[in-house]
Amino acid sequence: MAATSLASQTVLRRAVQAFVVPRFISNNNLSHCSTLQSFPLPKLLSSSGLGMCHLAQAVKGEVDVSLKGVGDKSITEAVKQIVEKANRASFRREVIHTDFITPPVLKESMLILAKLVDVKAIAQGGYPQAERHRLSVGHSEVLTDALDIVAAMSITGNFGFQPCSHGDFLGSILGTGIAREKLGDIVVLGEKGAQVLIVPELVDFLTTSLDKVGNVPVSCKKIPLLALEYEPPRTKSFKTVESSLRVDAIASAGFKISRTKLADLISNGDVRVNWTTVTKNNTTVKAGDIISVSSKGRLQIGEINSTRRGKFAIELIRYL
């Protein structure tokens, strides 16, 4: 009986260590391993779970400290969810994939994941210059190679007389009901149409659902990633003079829409600055910022100079 009890405790202890070590301990806190092993087993497995709870809180605190400099709450929350997925995947010895994430979320996530023991992360965007990526996270012994989690599709049609922009393609794809986070980059190819990166499980759906972009009938098909024809994005630069650097003023000039219409877009959550949703019309922008408007596309703020009359001469770079 005693031998059976001892064996059971040994099995339980190993199970607990397997759970805690890869899931919670970071490179900076390896001393927690010896502390954990010195805990009496009944205390560690008590119904209160204090040892486990305190350790989890310590790691949560570390993540919070790492994200202290991130001002946007949506980015912070997205990164926390990715870290939680990585911990869960490591514990279960499995691999979990995220949807497509924006550059700020990718950057902050990779910084934190690099500190976690036994956790590996691989980012894939479909091609080297990709902006949006998916992350594969899991235990380092399981996630050994990059998996096929990004698919490429071509969208072709007679765009010679009716060219469509990045915003046109994006708006039409979203119009089928596909969520934005299921889409990666869209590579616009002028008369040849566009190529889009997407989660593999939606390839068939997009093939049958997307039949028009703007007024142009289109057809879609899956293509190899190596067939992507990436080129530097086509842009158009122009200047505007504004009395302020408010996002509603700049975006209104950049996308050639009224400030009233832009105010409605902001209210609907359709305007983003550096991939972060804008909630106030008077949010200020600066040189280098990227403004995105759903179904309209993107523009980047170039050089800003003050005029003699106290206004701002602003260079705007519109992505076509």
Side-chain angles (χ1 to χ4, degrees), residues 274-295:
N274 298 331
W275 301 277
T276 299
T277 301
V278 172
T279 58
K280 298 181 179 179
N281 296 357
N282 62 355
T283 299
T284 58
V285 294
K286 62 184 183 302
D289 284 350
I290 294 179
I291 302 175
S292 307
V293 177
S294 298
S295 301

PDB file of all heavy atoms in Angstrom, residues 274-295:
ATOM      1  N   ASN A 274      -1.287  53.186 -37.713  1.00  0.00           N
ATOM      2  CA  ASN A 274      -0.284  52.173 -37.369  1.00  0.00           C
ATOM      3  C   ASN A 274      -0.942  50.896 -36.853  1.00  0.00           C
ATOM      4  O   ASN A 274      -0.535  50.323 -35.846  1.00  0.00           O
ATOM      5  CB  ASN A 274       0.711  52.723 -36.345  1.00  0.00           C
ATOM      6  CG  ASN A 274       1.496  53.911 -36.880  1.00  0.00           C
ATOM      7  OD1 ASN A 274       1.728  54.023 -38.080  1.00  0.00           O
ATOM      8  ND2 ASN A 274       1.873  54.813 -35.999  1.00  0.00           N
ATOM      9  N   TRP A 275      -2.010  50.490 -37.548  1.00  0.00           N
ATOM     10  CA  TRP A 275      -2.751  49.248 -37.272  1.00  0.00           C
ATOM     11  C   TRP A 275      -3.528  49.274 -35.957  1.00  0.00           C
ATOM     12  O   TRP A 275      -4.039  48.270 -35.509  1.00  0.00           O
ATOM     13  CB  TRP A 275      -1.810  48.035 -37.285  1.00  0.00           C
ATOM     14  CG  TRP A 275      -1.113  47.894 -38.589  1.00  0.00           C
ATOM     15  CD1 TRP A 275      -1.619  47.301 -39.718  1.00  0.00           C
ATOM     16  CD2 TRP A 275       0.188  48.357 -38.935  1.00  0.00           C
ATOM     17  NE1 TRP A 275      -0.707  47.373 -40.743  1.00  0.00           N
ATOM     18  CE2 TRP A 275       0.419  48.011 -40.292  1.00  0.00           C
ATOM     19  CE3 TRP A 275       1.182  49.028 -38.232  1.00  0.00           C
ATOM     20  CZ2 TRP A 275       1.598  48.313 -40.949  1.00  0.00           C
ATOM     21  CZ3 TRP A 275       2.371  49.346 -38.882  1.00  0.00           C
ATOM     22  CH2 TRP A 275       2.560  48.992 -40.222  1.00  0.00           C
ATOM     23  N   THR A 276      -3.650  50.447 -35.354  1.00  0.00           N
ATOM     24  CA  THR A 276      -4.421  50.591 -34.127  1.00  0.00           C
ATOM     25  C   THR A 276      -5.680  51.400 -34.418  1.00  0.00           C
ATOM     26  O   THR A 276      -5.607  52.485 -35.004  1.00  0.00           O
ATOM     27  CB  THR A 276      -3.599  51.306 -33.039  1.00  0.00           C
ATOM     28  OG1 THR A 276      -2.442  50.535 -32.736  1.00  0.00           O
ATOM     29  CG2 THR A 276      -4.429  51.481 -31.769  1.00  0.00           C
ATOM     30  N   THR A 277      -6.829  50.883 -34.028  1.00  0.00           N
ATOM     31  CA  THR A 277      -8.098  51.553 -34.307  1.00  0.00           C
ATOM     32  C   THR A 277      -8.165  52.904 -33.617  1.00  0.00           C
ATOM     33  O   THR A 277      -7.843  53.037 -32.436  1.00  0.00           O
ATOM     34  CB  THR A 277      -9.276  50.679 -33.837  1.00  0.00           C
ATOM     35  OG1 THR A 277      -9.225  49.418 -34.522  1.00  0.00           O
ATOM     36  CG2 THR A 277     -10.607  51.349 -34.136  1.00  0.00           C
ATOM     37  N   VAL A 278      -8.592  53.895 -34.368  1.00  0.00           N
ATOM     38  CA  VAL A 278      -8.728  55.257 -33.850  1.00  0.00           C
ATOM     39  C   VAL A 278     -10.165  55.450 -33.374  1.00  0.00           C
ATOM     40  O   VAL A 278     -11.116  55.047 -34.046  1.00  0.00           O
ATOM     41  CB  VAL A 278      -8.391  56.288 -34.944  1.00  0.00           C
ATOM     42  CG1 VAL A 278      -8.711  57.703 -34.466  1.00  0.00           C
ATOM     43  CG2 VAL A 278      -6.936  56.182 -35.343  1.00  0.00           C
ATOM     44  N   THR A 279     -10.311  56.064 -32.211  1.00  0.00           N
ATOM     45  CA  THR A 279     -11.648  56.282 -31.661  1.00  0.00           C
ATOM     46  C   THR A 279     -12.015  57.762 -31.557  1.00  0.00           C
ATOM     47  O   THR A 279     -13.169  58.088 -31.303  1.00  0.00           O
ATOM     48  CB  THR A 279     -11.756  55.656 -30.258  1.00  0.00           C
ATOM     49  OG1 THR A 279     -10.754  56.229 -29.401  1.00  0.00           O
ATOM     50  CG2 THR A 279     -11.550  54.145 -30.324  1.00  0.00           C
ATOM     51  N   LYS A 280     -11.042  58.646 -31.754  1.00  0.00           N
ATOM     52  CA  LYS A 280     -11.301  60.081 -31.627  1.00  0.00           C
ATOM     53  C   LYS A 280     -10.867  60.814 -32.885  1.00  0.00           C
ATOM     54  O   LYS A 280      -9.788  60.573 -33.413  1.00  0.00           O
ATOM     55  CB  LYS A 280     -10.555  60.655 -30.406  1.00  0.00           C
ATOM     56  CG  LYS A 280     -11.004  60.056 -29.073  1.00  0.00           C
ATOM     57  CD  LYS A 280     -10.237  60.676 -27.917  1.00  0.00           C
ATOM     58  CE  LYS A 280     -10.689  60.094 -26.584  1.00  0.00           C
ATOM     59  NZ  LYS A 280      -9.931  60.674 -25.441  1.00  0.00           N
ATOM     60  N   ASN A 281     -11.723  61.731 -33.334  1.00  0.00           N
ATOM     61  CA  ASN A 281     -11.417  62.504 -34.546  1.00  0.00           C
ATOM     62  C   ASN A 281     -10.175  63.362 -34.390  1.00  0.00           C
ATOM     63  O   ASN A 281      -9.471  63.633 -35.368  1.00  0.00           O
ATOM     64  CB  ASN A 281     -12.605  63.411 -34.897  1.00  0.00           C
ATOM     65  CG  ASN A 281     -13.850  62.626 -35.250  1.00  0.00           C
ATOM     66  OD1 ASN A 281     -13.834  61.402 -35.296  1.00  0.00           O
ATOM     67  ND2 ASN A 281     -14.942  63.338 -35.504  1.00  0.00           N
ATOM     68  N   ASN A 282      -9.906  63.821 -33.169  1.00  0.00           N
ATOM     69  CA  ASN A 282      -8.795  64.750 -32.959  1.00  0.00           C
ATOM     70  C   ASN A 282      -7.480  64.047 -32.627  1.00  0.00           C
ATOM     71  O   ASN A 282      -6.531  64.691 -32.174  1.00  0.00           O
ATOM     72  CB  ASN A 282      -9.139  65.757 -31.864  1.00  0.00           C
ATOM     73  CG  ASN A 282      -9.388  65.086 -30.507  1.00  0.00           C
ATOM     74  OD1 ASN A 282      -9.400  63.861 -30.413  1.00  0.00           O
ATOM     75  ND2 ASN A 282      -9.586  65.896 -29.477  1.00  0.00           N
ATOM     76  N   THR A 283      -7.398  62.743 -32.839  1.00  0.00           N
ATOM     77  CA  THR A 283      -6.131  62.033 -32.657  1.00  0.00           C
ATOM     78  C   THR A 283      -5.093  62.631 -33.598  1.00  0.00           C
ATOM     79  O   THR A 283      -5.353  62.818 -34.788  1.00  0.00           O
ATOM     80  CB  THR A 283      -6.298  60.539 -32.964  1.00  0.00           C
ATOM     81  OG1 THR A 283      -7.251  59.974 -32.062  1.00  0.00           O
ATOM     82  CG2 THR A 283      -4.977  59.797 -32.823  1.00  0.00           C
ATOM     83  N   THR A 284      -3.927  62.978 -33.082  1.00  0.00           N
ATOM     84  CA  THR A 284      -2.895  63.600 -33.912  1.00  0.00           C
ATOM     85  C   THR A 284      -1.963  62.538 -34.496  1.00  0.00           C
ATOM     86  O   THR A 284      -1.753  61.475 -33.913  1.00  0.00           O
ATOM     87  CB  THR A 284      -2.067  64.614 -33.104  1.00  0.00           C
ATOM     88  OG1 THR A 284      -1.465  63.961 -31.974  1.00  0.00           O
ATOM     89  CG2 THR A 284      -2.941  65.747 -32.618  1.00  0.00           C
ATOM     90  N   VAL A 285      -1.425  62.846 -35.662  1.00  0.00           N
ATOM     91  CA  VAL A 285      -0.511  61.942 -36.344  1.00  0.00           C
ATOM     92  C   VAL A 285       0.807  62.651 -36.585  1.00  0.00           C
ATOM     93  O   VAL A 285       0.922  63.860 -36.411  1.00  0.00           O
ATOM     94  CB  VAL A 285      -1.118  61.460 -37.682  1.00  0.00           C
ATOM     95  CG1 VAL A 285      -2.346  60.600 -37.432  1.00  0.00           C
ATOM     96  CG2 VAL A 285      -1.474  62.653 -38.567  1.00  0.00           C
ATOM     97  N   LYS A 286       1.801  61.890 -37.013  1.00  0.00           N
ATOM     98  CA  LYS A 286       3.137  62.439 -37.239  1.00  0.00           C
ATOM     99  C   LYS A 286       3.756  61.808 -38.472  1.00  0.00           C
ATOM    100  O   LYS A 286       3.220  60.841 -39.038  1.00  0.00           O
ATOM    101  CB  LYS A 286       4.018  62.183 -36.017  1.00  0.00           C
ATOM    102  CG  LYS A 286       4.237  60.721 -35.703  1.00  0.00           C
ATOM    103  CD  LYS A 286       5.035  60.548 -34.423  1.00  0.00           C
ATOM    104  CE  LYS A 286       5.320  59.078 -34.132  1.00  0.00           C
ATOM    105  NZ  LYS A 286       4.077  58.285 -34.030  1.00  0.00           N
ATOM    106  N   ALA A 287       4.902  62.322 -38.878  1.00  0.00           N
ATOM    107  CA  ALA A 287       5.596  61.791 -40.049  1.00  0.00           C
ATOM    108  C   ALA A 287       5.936  60.319 -39.831  1.00  0.00           C
ATOM    109  O   ALA A 287       6.386  59.919 -38.759  1.00  0.00           O
ATOM    110  CB  ALA A 287       6.867  62.591 -40.309  1.00  0.00           C
ATOM    111  N   GLY A 288       5.695  59.527 -40.863  1.00  0.00           N
ATOM    112  CA  GLY A 288       5.970  58.099 -40.783  1.00  0.00           C
ATOM    113  C   GLY A 288       4.770  57.252 -40.427  1.00  0.00           C
ATOM    114  O   GLY A 288       4.790  56.034 -40.625  1.00  0.00           O
ATOM    115  N   ASP A 289       3.727  57.856 -39.870  1.00  0.00           N
ATOM    116  CA  ASP A 289       2.528  57.097 -39.503  1.00  0.00           C
ATOM    117  C   ASP A 289       1.815  56.580 -40.751  1.00  0.00           C
ATOM    118  O   ASP A 289       1.862  57.203 -41.818  1.00  0.00           O
ATOM    119  CB  ASP A 289       1.559  57.971 -38.697  1.00  0.00           C
ATOM    120  CG  ASP A 289       2.012  58.168 -37.261  1.00  0.00           C
ATOM    121  OD1 ASP A 289       2.964  57.477 -36.842  1.00  0.00           O
ATOM    122  OD2 ASP A 289       1.415  59.009 -36.565  1.00  0.00           O
ATOM    123  N   ILE A 290       1.156  55.452 -40.590  1.00  0.00           N
ATOM    124  CA  ILE A 290       0.359  54.867 -41.666  1.00  0.00           C
ATOM    125  C   ILE A 290      -1.104  54.883 -41.255  1.00  0.00           C
ATOM    126  O   ILE A 290      -1.461  54.388 -40.188  1.00  0.00           O
ATOM    127  CB  ILE A 290       0.813  53.428 -41.973  1.00  0.00           C
ATOM    128  CG1 ILE A 290       2.236  53.448 -42.545  1.00  0.00           C
ATOM    129  CG2 ILE A 290      -0.140  52.763 -42.953  1.00  0.00           C
ATOM    130  CD1 ILE A 290       2.796  52.069 -42.853  1.00  0.00           C
ATOM    131  N   ILE A 291      -1.926  55.487 -42.089  1.00  0.00           N
ATOM    132  CA  ILE A 291      -3.361  55.566 -41.829  1.00  0.00           C
ATOM    133  C   ILE A 291      -4.064  54.576 -42.754  1.00  0.00           C
ATOM    134  O   ILE A 291      -3.849  54.591 -43.971  1.00  0.00           O
ATOM    135  CB  ILE A 291      -3.897  56.986 -42.077  1.00  0.00           C
ATOM    136  CG1 ILE A 291      -3.171  58.001 -41.193  1.00  0.00           C
ATOM    137  CG2 ILE A 291      -5.400  57.051 -41.815  1.00  0.00           C
ATOM    138  CD1 ILE A 291      -3.560  59.445 -41.467  1.00  0.00           C
ATOM    139  N   SER A 292      -4.890  53.722 -42.174  1.00  0.00           N
ATOM    140  CA  SER A 292      -5.650  52.740 -42.949  1.00  0.00           C
ATOM    141  C   SER A 292      -7.133  53.008 -42.758  1.00  0.00           C
ATOM    142  O   SER A 292      -7.582  53.247 -41.635  1.00  0.00           O
ATOM    143  CB  SER A 292      -5.327  51.317 -42.498  1.00  0.00           C
ATOM    144  OG  SER A 292      -3.924  51.081 -42.523  1.00  0.00           O
ATOM    145  N   VAL A 293      -7.879  52.949 -43.838  1.00  0.00           N
ATOM    146  CA  VAL A 293      -9.330  53.108 -43.789  1.00  0.00           C
ATOM    147  C   VAL A 293      -9.945  51.913 -44.514  1.00  0.00           C
ATOM    148  O   VAL A 293      -9.593  51.627 -45.664  1.00  0.00           O
ATOM    149  CB  VAL A 293      -9.787  54.423 -44.445  1.00  0.00           C
ATOM    150  CG1 VAL A 293     -11.308  54.519 -44.434  1.00  0.00           C
ATOM    151  CG2 VAL A 293      -9.186  55.616 -43.713  1.00  0.00           C
ATOM    152  N   SER A 294     -10.834  51.221 -43.841  1.00  0.00           N
ATOM    153  CA  SER A 294     -11.451  50.032 -44.424  1.00  0.00           C
ATOM    154  C   SER A 294     -12.078  50.343 -45.771  1.00  0.00           C
ATOM    155  O   SER A 294     -12.794  51.343 -45.930  1.00  0.00           O
ATOM    156  CB  SER A 294     -12.524  49.477 -43.475  1.00  0.00           C
ATOM    157  OG  SER A 294     -11.946  49.073 -42.250  1.00  0.00           O
ATOM    158  N   SER A 295     -11.774  49.490 -46.747  1.00  0.00           N
ATOM    159  CA  SER A 295     -12.284  49.590 -48.116  1.00  0.00           C
ATOM    160  C   SER A 295     -11.744  50.791 -48.875  1.00  0.00           C
ATOM    161  O   SER A 295     -12.140  51.023 -50.027  1.00  0.00           O
ATOM    162  CB  SER A 295     -13.833  49.650 -48.132  1.00  0.00           C
ATOM    163  OG  SER A 295     -14.363  48.486 -47.530  1.00  0.00           O
TER     164      SER A 295
END
